[in-house]
Amino acid sequence: MAFLNRTRLRPLLRFLACCCLALGVQTQAQEAQEHQDKPAYLYRFMSYVEWPAESLPAAGEPLVIAVAGADDVADELSRIVALRQVNGHPLAVRRLGTADTIDGLHVLFVGDRARTAALLRTAEARPVLTVTDARGALPTGSVIDFHPFEGRLRFDVSLSAASRKQLKVSSRLLSLAVHVEGTAQ
């Protein structure tokens, strides 16, 4: 038992504490980076998706991005899209509460895993680009799923879901995806 004396144990405990602290700081930094990256991705996705003409607003009217369950993403997205346009349309960010409808949306980001399935069902037959923060939501109707991959924020795309929603996803966006599911119809 001489090996476990306090003199030898203290440096080991300090080392383990430093390792735990470093892992915690790295995880927090990675999560903070993801919260900055998601709004930028959402904005950029809009340039690589084509909506059916009848679903677009009149010239000069905004394309609407709704965010459900991720206030930090909504805040950063509002900052990013201020005074910017996509295909001649200004952009508007809307926080989607539990009682709100998805009428008039063009992009729906669901950061609330508890509401993912219900919101995807509601948006299923509509030309709304659905983006989730719940890996594995592609089979339930999400067009794009965010997930960490090799230490970075990446995404998967469902061409089948996009096709059902009458959305056309650019091959340039598909080339950046980690995984592309299905085919365009």
Side-chain angles (χ1 to χ4, degrees):
M1 287 289 171
F3 174 76
L4 292 177
N5 69 34
R6 289 185 177 162
T7 309
R8 291 185 178 175
L9 194 56
R10 281 188 188 136
L12 177 61
L13 290 175
R14 281 189 200 122
F15 173 74
L16 290 174
C18 288
C19 288
C20 289
L21 180 63
L23 286 173
V25 168
Q26 180 181 5
T27 301
Q28 287 176 345
Q30 187 174 2
E31 287 174 3
Q33 185 63 46
E34 283 184 22
H35 288 297
Q36 289 178 340
D37 290 347
K38 288 174 189 171
Y41 274 100
L42 289 168
Y43 166 66
R44 289 186 189 119
F45 288 159
M46 296 182 76
S47 296
Y48 297 102
V49 173
E50 187 178 319
W51 282 264
E54 63 275 5
S55 71
L56 293 174
E61 293 294 315
L63 294 174
V64 180
I65 309 166
V67 178
D71 288 340
D72 52 343
V73 172
D75 292 341
E76 182 64 14
L77 186 58
S78 293
R79 189 189 67 71
I80 288 172
V81 304
L83 305 175
R84 294 195 181 175
Q85 295 188 355
V86 171
N87 297 326
H89 293 279
L91 304 171
V93 177
R94 188 172 111 196
R95 292 172 201 266
L96 195 66
T98 54
D100 294 334
T101 69
I102 64 166
D103 294 338
L105 301 184
H106 300 92
V107 177
L108 171 60
F109 173 68
V110 185
D112 180 355
R113 292 172 199 249
R115 294 174 58 197
T116 299
L119 286 169
L120 290 177
R121 273 192 308 275
T122 303
E124 180 60 32
R126 299 178 186 218
V128 175
L129 175 63
T130 48
V131 183
T132 61
D133 206 7
R135 184 143 197 198
L138 292 183
T140 61
S142 179
V143 176
I144 299 175
D145 281 351
F146 283 128
H147 61 86
F149 181 76
E150 296 180 355
R152 299 180 65 197
L153 181 65
R154 299 302 301 241
F155 60 91
D156 297 332
V157 176
S158 170
L159 284 176
S160 301
S163 181
R164 286 191 304 271
K165 296 170 167 294
Q166 301 176 346
L167 302 175
K168 294 179 184 171
V169 180
S170 163
S171 61
R172 291 181 64 196
L173 181 62
L174 296 175
S175 71
L176 299 173
V178 173
H179 173 76
V180 176
E181 177 271 326
T183 59
Q185 315 235 335

